[in-house]
Amino acid sequence: MIQRRSLLATALLAATGLASAAAPASDVAVPTGPLPRTVVPSEVGLHLSIDPTQERFSGRVEISVDVAQATDTIWMHGKGLNIRKAVYMPRNGRNQDLKAAEVDVSGVLKLTAPKAIAPGKGVIAIDYDAPFGQLQGAYKVKPDGRDYVMTQMEPLGARTAYPGFDEPSFKQPWRMWFTVPDADVVVANAPEVKTTDLDGPMKEVEFAKTEALPSYLVAFAVGPWDVVPGPDIAPNGDRTAPIKLRGVAASGQGGRMRYSLANTPEIVRALETYFGIPYPFAKLDNLAAPDFWAGAMENAGLIAYRDSLMFPDEASAVSRRQAFWGVSAHELAHQWFGDLVTMRWWDDLWLNEGFATWMGNKIHGQLQPEAHTDRGLLEGAIGAMGADSLASTRRVHEPIKDFTDIQSAFDGITYQKGGATLNMFEQYIGPEQFRTGIRKYLQAHARGNATSADLIHAVAAESDAPEAVAAAFFTFIDQPGVPFVSVDLDCSGKVPALVLQQRRYLPLGSTAPNEGSWGVPLTVRYADGGTVRTAKTIFTGASGRMELTEAGACPAWVMPNAHGNGYYRFALSPKLQEALSGAFAQLDEREQRVYADSVTAAYGAGSLTPSQLLAALPQFASAPVRQTVTAGMGSTEWMAEYLLPDDKARDAFHAQVAAIYRPRLQQLGMAPKAGEPDDDGLLRATLVGFFAGTLKDPAVRKEMNQAGRAVLGLDGDGALHADAVPQDLRDTALTVAVQEGGKAAFDAAEKHFRASQDAVLRSQLLGAMGSTRDPGLNERARALVFEPGLLRRNEIFPVVGGQAGDAATRPALRAWTDAHFKEIEAKLAPAGAAVVNLYAAGMCSDADAAELQEKFAARMADVEGGPRQLKQTVEAIRMCAAQVAARKDQPVAFPKR
């Protein structure tokens, strides 16, 4: 927070210097962070002329502004725009032509006036044209041979679509007009109010003025879209009028949105009820995007989703149905958190994404209890702890210094750690009190901006100890790392007490400093005779005691993370560890999962040997909950690759791993059962994929090969039979069939891929085609990436990612990545930093880390999110090397049965 304020102060001081002397722009540093507040927009008029069949579009933007101090320079944003004319028109005085120059790679635009612009109101008018972007800004997709235009403005795409003040703190209403071909549909954030026929085959479509929005939430789509009505969202509480709901999809695809449209209204109503505030916009359109680099985007009133998220139905795979509910609840939560109230600067991105992660899970779980979304939230938190254990991790509330830092913020720290921290304090404060604080926060900042401090103080004020709770909350967002709480039990006094210590959790090989102190909202459960009691405290300092004042005797066992709600890891004294293991069946499902995490985390930190971890896996595999069953499974894959000397040893190891998990797979069966819980289907899919792909189990592979061949039509008519295998198993079946079937199976998969527009099936076919060990077939799969117009850009990783997972195919993939780096990065932008992971897969030595650093340092320097991605990947490789070195003399053995 201090550094963020320093950035703002620097910008404001620079602006003051300009005002006092109308200094030439050359004397002032380019503002690559927040813009100065010398010129502030109050309303934007956007006139765009878009023909999707063309390579460029044109526009005029008219920005009403308030000039606070005299200046000859206006700082804005614009990237790759051809500015034909720019003029400042004061309310009083003469117009001035402005000289426009793009002065930074991030897209900072400098407009210079020949004379100082006087304080007061005016309009900046800019005429320009621009190319369509690549999955950001205004970009084109061509799913069916026809051209469509849609948008993705967050985080920095808006500046490629129009010149403006492209940062979250500038919120103002927008008016939009579009000149488009007569046959095309146009949708935008607000309702359409007027269509005017123009000379020639064009029309102008005008939209109502929006509520105050930042540039990154502006959205529109032009082309031969289907627009299908959904059910109105009925009045609810203080909202007395229905909300119009529509679906927008590529031509002929609108009918596939029936399920998603039918189920959207109850999500909206549930959110309204929680917030006590009506849905904050005039209408709601759900757009099914044929190509989209993000999963979804919360544009106000026009939410964009990958089309696969909008197209499930009642018969779809469990994972697809749950994805719709979860992502939709997440994006709709943003309409309040992010859209109604917006972060002031990107350092508070977690206010948007961490909140939507937490809230989306809450509403999804409320409406679909069988989804057990609390388990997913916990699993996300445990996943985030992996990145949070790196020395190069970032804080939740991380200073953003330039544009390369912004993309880095869209990660598990922001989403999962942010969401887990909110859940932890909600449970500690109390759900009702926490909701009261949320409501007050939204009411206080509606249609404006807010900061972390605003939210934290609002919810802490509803607790029993506002100052202590707020101080504790800040320790989780203003410093990196995972708290590690060591727990012992002292029953020598009048009442039993827990003896506590805290430090940062550090895995083997970590170079992070062993420092940090948190205000840990510690909630414990313990066995007091036949009663299980709960106690809580905010644990601060390096050490402390927690008296269990209600205990009648020395507890039989202690669970230091009650209900798994805390974002921290724990270690018990040996006696307590043994007792808790013996009480495993008495723990609730989330506690069993965090107990399993305490074991795998101890292994990661070097406190347990491989053999000790393997001895714990049968207990996890017998747990009732999917996430606990599979805890530690990934560690067996790592052991097999890096600790075993040859294929013979790996085969023997895999046979013993299979013996741990086979009883669970046999219990589930290979085929879905009528009326079974959704989690059974998801666990079956995970186990089948593990047995077929990692363990190479002959029986499972045989069954999946037969099923995959049936899908491909290899033993029959050659036609695609997508439903020949349960949908949750289709990706595994196709992969095995192509691996076993060689060229004939690859050819069949490619034929069906080229004929399909189903995003899910396309991705599964591509994944299968990219998973063989045949060098020639792998080369064919990689060549698809550069075939013009064939792949959607979000299909690049499915077709090559499988080659990153196999030691035999990695060298060719790295050579291809190295040779085509610029083209691949450009296709993936703004997510081009992911190329680092593609190249680095399987690297696990200091030499590998040095090679990666040398090869990619310059390449990643100006890539959004690139510098941090490279730094974290290099660190992870060095830690992998340290793990191998530490384990070299430790046996990898299973306990005798």
PDB file of all heavy atoms in Angstrom, residues 627-638:
ATOM      1  N   GLN A 627     -10.997 -34.996  -3.282  1.00  0.00           N
ATOM      2  CA  GLN A 627      -9.763 -34.229  -3.193  1.00  0.00           C
ATOM      3  C   GLN A 627      -8.771 -34.855  -2.211  1.00  0.00           C
ATOM      4  O   GLN A 627      -7.555 -34.739  -2.395  1.00  0.00           O
ATOM      5  CB  GLN A 627     -10.067 -32.782  -2.789  1.00  0.00           C
ATOM      6  CG  GLN A 627     -10.771 -31.970  -3.873  1.00  0.00           C
ATOM      7  CD  GLN A 627     -12.283 -32.117  -3.860  1.00  0.00           C
ATOM      8  OE1 GLN A 627     -12.827 -32.971  -3.159  1.00  0.00           O
ATOM      9  NE2 GLN A 627     -12.977 -31.275  -4.615  1.00  0.00           N
ATOM     10  N   THR A 628      -9.274 -35.523  -1.160  1.00  0.00           N
ATOM     11  CA  THR A 628      -8.381 -36.192  -0.226  1.00  0.00           C
ATOM     12  C   THR A 628      -7.886 -37.503  -0.801  1.00  0.00           C
ATOM     13  O   THR A 628      -6.717 -37.882  -0.616  1.00  0.00           O
ATOM     14  CB  THR A 628      -9.094 -36.431   1.115  1.00  0.00           C
ATOM     15  OG1 THR A 628      -9.624 -35.184   1.591  1.00  0.00           O
ATOM     16  CG2 THR A 628      -8.145 -36.986   2.157  1.00  0.00           C
ATOM     17  N   VAL A 629      -8.740 -38.209  -1.518  1.00  0.00           N
ATOM     18  CA  VAL A 629      -8.329 -39.463  -2.168  1.00  0.00           C
ATOM     19  C   VAL A 629      -7.089 -39.237  -3.029  1.00  0.00           C
ATOM     20  O   VAL A 629      -6.148 -40.047  -3.026  1.00  0.00           O
ATOM     21  CB  VAL A 629      -9.479 -40.031  -3.023  1.00  0.00           C
ATOM     22  CG1 VAL A 629      -8.986 -41.201  -3.884  1.00  0.00           C
ATOM     23  CG2 VAL A 629     -10.641 -40.464  -2.141  1.00  0.00           C
ATOM     24  N   THR A 630      -7.064 -38.156  -3.760  1.00  0.00           N
ATOM     25  CA  THR A 630      -5.989 -37.920  -4.731  1.00  0.00           C
ATOM     26  C   THR A 630      -4.834 -37.101  -4.161  1.00  0.00           C
ATOM     27  O   THR A 630      -3.872 -36.833  -4.877  1.00  0.00           O
ATOM     28  CB  THR A 630      -6.553 -37.204  -5.973  1.00  0.00           C
ATOM     29  OG1 THR A 630      -7.175 -35.974  -5.570  1.00  0.00           O
ATOM     30  CG2 THR A 630      -7.580 -38.071  -6.672  1.00  0.00           C
ATOM     31  N   ALA A 631      -4.900 -36.710  -2.888  1.00  0.00           N
ATOM     32  CA  ALA A 631      -3.798 -35.957  -2.276  1.00  0.00           C
ATOM     33  C   ALA A 631      -2.535 -36.814  -2.287  1.00  0.00           C
ATOM     34  O   ALA A 631      -2.551 -37.968  -1.900  1.00  0.00           O
ATOM     35  CB  ALA A 631      -4.171 -35.570  -0.845  1.00  0.00           C
ATOM     36  N   GLY A 632      -1.456 -36.276  -2.735  1.00  0.00           N
ATOM     37  CA  GLY A 632      -0.205 -37.020  -2.806  1.00  0.00           C
ATOM     38  C   GLY A 632       0.000 -37.772  -4.104  1.00  0.00           C
ATOM     39  O   GLY A 632       1.106 -38.254  -4.383  1.00  0.00           O
ATOM     40  N   MET A 633      -1.043 -37.878  -4.919  1.00  0.00           N
ATOM     41  CA  MET A 633      -0.927 -38.611  -6.181  1.00  0.00           C
ATOM     42  C   MET A 633       0.129 -37.974  -7.084  1.00  0.00           C
ATOM     43  O   MET A 633       0.933 -38.666  -7.729  1.00  0.00           O
ATOM     44  CB  MET A 633      -2.285 -38.642  -6.874  1.00  0.00           C
ATOM     45  CG  MET A 633      -2.361 -39.512  -8.105  1.00  0.00           C
ATOM     46  SD  MET A 633      -4.019 -39.452  -8.860  1.00  0.00           S
ATOM     47  CE  MET A 633      -4.921 -40.543  -7.758  1.00  0.00           C
ATOM     48  N   GLY A 634       0.143 -36.646  -7.118  1.00  0.00           N
ATOM     49  CA  GLY A 634       1.126 -35.953  -7.948  1.00  0.00           C
ATOM     50  C   GLY A 634       2.556 -36.214  -7.500  1.00  0.00           C
ATOM     51  O   GLY A 634       3.479 -36.240  -8.322  1.00  0.00           O
ATOM     52  N   SER A 635       2.746 -36.416  -6.198  1.00  0.00           N
ATOM     53  CA  SER A 635       4.100 -36.700  -5.700  1.00  0.00           C
ATOM     54  C   SER A 635       4.607 -38.041  -6.204  1.00  0.00           C
ATOM     55  O   SER A 635       5.814 -38.210  -6.428  1.00  0.00           O
ATOM     56  CB  SER A 635       4.103 -36.682  -4.166  1.00  0.00           C
ATOM     57  OG  SER A 635       3.811 -35.392  -3.670  1.00  0.00           O
ATOM     58  N   THR A 636       3.703 -38.999  -6.390  1.00  0.00           N
ATOM     59  CA  THR A 636       4.158 -40.288  -6.933  1.00  0.00           C
ATOM     60  C   THR A 636       4.632 -40.131  -8.374  1.00  0.00           C
ATOM     61  O   THR A 636       5.591 -40.803  -8.794  1.00  0.00           O
ATOM     62  CB  THR A 636       3.040 -41.353  -6.863  1.00  0.00           C
ATOM     63  OG1 THR A 636       1.975 -41.031  -7.772  1.00  0.00           O
ATOM     64  CG2 THR A 636       2.487 -41.476  -5.454  1.00  0.00           C
ATOM     65  N   GLU A 637       3.987 -39.257  -9.134  1.00  0.00           N
ATOM     66  CA  GLU A 637       4.434 -39.016 -10.507  1.00  0.00           C
ATOM     67  C   GLU A 637       5.831 -38.404 -10.511  1.00  0.00           C
ATOM     68  O   GLU A 637       6.686 -38.763 -11.324  1.00  0.00           O
ATOM     69  CB  GLU A 637       3.436 -38.108 -11.224  1.00  0.00           C
ATOM     70  CG  GLU A 637       2.044 -38.700 -11.384  1.00  0.00           C
ATOM     71  CD  GLU A 637       1.119 -37.798 -12.172  1.00  0.00           C
ATOM     72  OE1 GLU A 637       1.483 -37.423 -13.304  1.00  0.00           O
ATOM     73  OE2 GLU A 637       0.025 -37.468 -11.664  1.00  0.00           O
ATOM     74  N   TRP A 638       6.052 -37.450  -9.579  1.00  0.00           N
ATOM     75  CA  TRP A 638       7.366 -36.802  -9.496  1.00  0.00           C
ATOM     76  C   TRP A 638       8.433 -37.813  -9.103  1.00  0.00           C
ATOM     77  O   TRP A 638       9.524 -37.844  -9.675  1.00  0.00           O
ATOM     78  CB  TRP A 638       7.299 -35.647  -8.498  1.00  0.00           C
ATOM     79  CG  TRP A 638       8.555 -34.831  -8.451  1.00  0.00           C
ATOM     80  CD1 TRP A 638       8.859 -33.741  -9.206  1.00  0.00           C
ATOM     81  CD2 TRP A 638       9.687 -35.059  -7.610  1.00  0.00           C
ATOM     82  NE1 TRP A 638      10.113 -33.268  -8.890  1.00  0.00           N
ATOM     83  CE2 TRP A 638      10.648 -34.064  -7.912  1.00  0.00           C
ATOM     84  CE3 TRP A 638       9.992 -36.004  -6.637  1.00  0.00           C
ATOM     85  CZ2 TRP A 638      11.878 -33.989  -7.270  1.00  0.00           C
ATOM     86  CZ3 TRP A 638      11.227 -35.935  -5.989  1.00  0.00           C
ATOM     87  CH2 TRP A 638      12.162 -34.931  -6.308  1.00  0.00           C
TER      88      TRP A 638
END
